[in-house]
Structures are given as C-alpha cells and as structure tokens.
Amino acid sequence: MNNKKSIQLKNLEFYKRNGYLKISLFSKNEIENFKNIIKKDLNKKLLHNLSSKVKIEKLEKYHTLKIKENEHKFLVQPNHRYFKFSKEIVKKILNRKILYLIKKMWGHNNISLNWIGDLKKKQKVINATGYRLARPSKNKNNDTAGVHIDMNVGGIINKDKNASTTIWIPIVGFNKKYTLKISPRSHNYNHGNKFKKTKKISPLLPKSYSKKFKFIRLAYKVGEAMIFHPNLLHGGSINRGSVTRVSLDTRILNLKRFIY
C-alpha cells in the first residue's frame, strides 16, 4: 500500500470513529479573498439598507462599529448571508481526499456543494457558502446558535445520516477561544426527538441533554478547515476572544439521498 493510500485510509477511519476530520484546503491569499468578499457584501448592505453610516475596514473590528442591534441582526440574517464560490475554489474543496472520503461513506460521488438557509423558504444555492459573524462575548454578545446537529439543516427534521455533510472554515479566529465547539464521537448516538423550537432555523438541543457530552475546540492554521458528520453535536461556540470571529460553512449534499 502506497503512502497516499495509507493516509486516506487513516483519515477515513478517524472520521468514522470521531465524526470529524481537520483538513488543509486554502492558501492565505484565498482566506484574505474570502474576507474581502464578506467585507464588500456587508458594506454594500450598510450603505444601501441601513441608517448607520459606517464602513467596515477590518472584519475583526466589526464589533467596535456603532451599528444598532436591529441593524446587526439584518446584516447577519441567514437569507442573504452567503456568496458564490468560484469554479477554482469548488474544485479545491471537492479534491481527491474529500471525494475519496465521500465515496467510501456514500458509495458514490453524485454530490453537490451548497449554501442552505431556510429550506421551508427554498433557500438553497449551489456552489455557495454561508458566512457567520460572532462578536466577542465580553461585550455581552452571544451571536451563536446553541448545540445542534446538521442533519436538520435548513430547519427540517431529517433522520438520514447519509444525506449531507458539513465543511466549516475559520476566516478570522483560529485558536481555541474562537473555533467551533464539537463533541467527538457524538455522531454515533441517536439524538431522537429532543430538539426544541427556537427562532433559529436549526432546531436546538436542550442544555440538559447536551451537557452529558464532552466538547472540545480545535486550533487551526490559516487555510485549514473541518469536515464533520451531520449527526455530530456542535454549536454554542461563544466567542471567548477579543476580536469578531468570522467563519464559513458549506454543505456537501448526497444527491441520491438529499430530497428537499
């Protein structure tokens, strides 16, 4: 067995066992380009839709701007908090390592990369990603969703563990004060009908249930990302740092199983 094949098998076994895998995807220049796309999108909304006449110079300083809370909520609402990937970036994400992992999990590579908002409103865009901002919690902000799973992505309860998987990409904030909180191996559990209704799109799990699991936060290098199982518990990732956290998430859909 050659070295590349051995690494792929180790990655597959790690993913199956733990429910996640950290991967190297982008260059530093590509991460900077993502930041510029998000900044441009937010500034356009600030200029044309809001009364707060401010301009974002650096995304990590977003929390210092004098933006009204209702206007912040407008800026980050899911229905327009996304952008399209270039063909080159799509190809980079759906690389040989990812395709190998997907084929071993699902038995085929009939897949699609998508941003998903509210599926009840048919918010789904191919070759796109959502972006998220989380201001520092020391400013008494909590811009994060509670613990949930991505099987219910788009707000629709789904019991199919092979319908999708998620890629999470940090853009600003790479150490454990900022990164996504996950519960390794929790994808092996049946989380049943314990979800509660909230104003968030994804149904959340009550703290009385999620506290039974152990959670960790990984440190990342610039350009690294994580692919994780849709039944893996994650979320409630309060920003413990001093700057605004920015991240991307996109879904790989199994076109033979994802029926919405």
Side-chain angles (χ1 to χ4, degrees), residues 142-155:
N142 184 3
D143 297 329
T144 61
V147 175
H148 59 283
I149 61 175
D150 279 0
M151 282 173 62
N152 303 324
V153 64

Side-chain angles (χ1 to χ4, degrees), residues 5-6 18 53 63 74 81 121 160 190 206 214-215 234 248:
K5 190 73 171 179
S6 177
N18 295 288
K53 300 305 178 184
H63 62 285
F74 169 81
R81 194 184 63 218
K121 298 178 181 178
D160 190 345
N190 178 8
K214 181 180 178 180
F215 286 81
H234 64 283
L248 305 180

Side-chain angles (χ1 to χ4, degrees), residues 225-240:
M226 174 172 58
I227 181 170
F228 64 89
H229 192 282
N231 197 46
L232 189 79
L233 295 180
H234 64 283
S237 311
I238 295 172
N239 180 353
R240 304 291 187 187

Side-chain angles (χ1 to χ4, degrees), residues 69-127:
E69 189 62 23
N70 66 311
E71 295 182 334
H72 163 74
K73 290 179 180 179
F74 169 81
L75 288 174
V76 299
Q77 62 180 304
N79 66 314
H80 61 206
R81 194 184 63 218
Y82 69 93
F83 64 88
K84 294 270 286 185
F85 283 131
S86 68
K87 291 181 180 180
E88 292 76 18
I89 291 297
V90 171
K91 187 176 181 180
K92 203 159 192 178
I93 295 172
L94 300 180
N95 58 56
R96 288 183 181 181
K97 290 180 182 179
I98 295 294
L99 292 178
Y100 175 87
L101 190 69
I102 294 296
K103 190 168 185 179
K104 289 295 183 181
M105 290 191 302
W106 297 342
H108 63 86
N109 280 327
N110 185 7
I111 60 176
S112 176
L113 195 66
N114 290 259
W115 163 80
I116 294 176
D118 188 340
L119 285 175
K120 294 175 184 177
K121 298 178 181 178
K122 299 181 179 180
Q123 294 174 352
K124 181 163 70 77
V125 180
I126 191 169
N127 294 337

Side-chain angles (χ1 to χ4, degrees), residues 202-214:
S202 294
L204 303 180
L205 286 158
K207 291 182 180 179
S208 58
Y209 178 76
S210 61
K211 72 179 183 180
K212 299 175 184 178
F213 295 83
K214 181 180 178 180

